[in-house]
Amino acid sequence: MERVYGGSVPGSARSLEGRHYVITGGSRGLGATVVRSLLGEGARVSVCARREDGLDALNASVQQDGHPPLFTQALDVAEPTALEAFIDAAAAEHGGLHGAVACAGGASGRGLGAASADDWRRTWELNAGHAATLVSSAAPHLRAAGGGSIVVVSSISGWKPGPQAQYGSAKAAQIHMVASLARELGPDGIRVNAVSPGSMLIPGKRWDRMRREDPLAYQRFLDEFPARSLVAPEEVAEVVAFLLSERSRGISGANIPVDRAQNAPTPEGY
């Protein structure tokens, strides 16, 4: 029987106490889980996402749990000027910046014959483009702080082929990007790493709906996992928090899978 995860994964003490981090796509799903993980380690957090109501709901929820208010802004991360302004405003709000997480992502279009040039452009801008803007905008603030850590959330689709090609290639670009930028920014004390989640079981999302609506297909999908359990978002968030902290000071330019040894990234193969 599959183990279903919830709550937080045990971690170390409040190793991010007083530090400030920005997170894109942080209002729900993995992003919101990362926000809670960082707050749990004592960090101050700024979050952007597309929908203001989602940000408001997250802010209210974390304050109910006893955490300080988040600095939030609704924007499209694929718009470089808006993302740059958010990072500058967040740094000003909290008197500096110690790290950043590019968590927003997604895909447009379907297979090659059904995907338009705009689908490819949008997918690349949402993933590789937004991550590049995040790094370039955060870097001056991290230099001013004497260094810091950036985490780009990629995917196992970045090296395990699956549909659609525009998504996998954009995620592969993120993985190469962090390896290159880690070398470029290393002299400034800035580390850059990628985390590549496997298929995550998130309430209300694709795999949770499949589990409820098509249990036979879901059971077949579990064959892609040796332990027959999908990835929990808390497991990914703990790795992100680790990479942002000084516990990982020797790691830069790496791509760290959190996939439970998953084989194909989707039920469709390949």
Side-chain angles (χ1 to χ4, degrees):
M1 178 179 293
E2 183 190 17
R3 180 181 176 188
V4 178
Y5 291 81
S8 61
V9 176
S12 64
R14 293 165 63 90
S15 61
L16 304 179
E17 189 79 47
R19 293 175 172 265
H20 172 224
Y21 300 91
V22 297
I23 302 173
T24 66
S27 65
R28 58 181 182 171
L30 174 61
T33 305
V34 171
V35 169
R36 293 182 181 281
S37 180
L38 301 189
L39 290 172
E41 294 201 23
R44 295 170 293 162
V45 181
S46 298
V47 187
C48 68
R50 289 184 63 89
R51 295 178 58 91
E52 189 167 356
D53 56 350
L55 290 166
D56 289 345
L58 175 67
N59 215 345
S61 177
V62 300
Q63 289 179 73
Q64 286 177 354
D65 292 338
H67 297 297
L70 306 168
F71 178 79
T72 65
Q73 187 172 335
L75 58 90
D76 181 354
V77 297
E79 295 292 337
T81 302
L83 181 54
E84 291 165 1
F86 163 71
I87 292 173
D88 289 344
E93 176 74 14
H94 288 291
L97 184 65
H98 300 93
V101 183
C103 197
S108 296
R110 300 186 64 81
L112 183 63
S116 67
D118 190 62
D119 290 328
W120 280 80
R121 178 193 59 78
R122 175 63 180 170
T123 300
W124 273 70
E125 289 178 353
L126 183 56
N127 295 280
H130 123 259
T133 300
L134 178 83
V135 176
S136 64
S137 301
H141 299 288
L142 300 185
R143 288 191 192 100
S149 177
I150 298 172
V151 177
V152 175
V153 178
S154 184
S155 168
I156 62 168
S157 294
W159 76 95
K160 296 183 180 182
Q164 290 75 36
Q166 63 269 31
Y167 179 73
S169 58
K171 289 301 183 182
Q174 288 182 321
I175 293 169
H176 184 90
M177 179 192 305
V178 302
S180 179
L181 292 177
R183 298 294 298 270
E184 182 176 343
L185 298 175
D188 297 317
I190 300 172
R191 297 185 294 112
V192 190
N193 291 289
V195 171
S196 288
S199 298
M200 290 180 286
L201 189 60
I202 298 174
K205 294 294 188 177
R206 179 182 180 184
W207 311 125
D208 183 47
R209 293 196 304 270
M210 176 186 282
R211 183 176 63 163
R212 291 182 283 105
E213 298 169 6
D214 194 347
L216 292 179
Y218 184 77
Q219 290 300 313
R220 289 193 298 271
F221 185 38
L222 289 180
D223 290 339
E224 303 293 342
F225 300 81
R228 293 186 61 79
S229 292
L230 272 67
V231 178
E234 292 84 0
E235 295 169 334
V236 181
E238 287 293 317
V239 176
V240 172
F242 167 71
L243 289 173
L244 291 174
S245 76
E246 285 299 303
R247 290 171 282 162
S248 64
R249 59 189 175 275
I251 304 175
S252 192
N255 173 45
I256 301 181
V258 187
D259 64 357
R260 296 182 152 260
Q262 182 177 355
N263 185 29
T266 70
E268 294 86 3
Y270 306 131

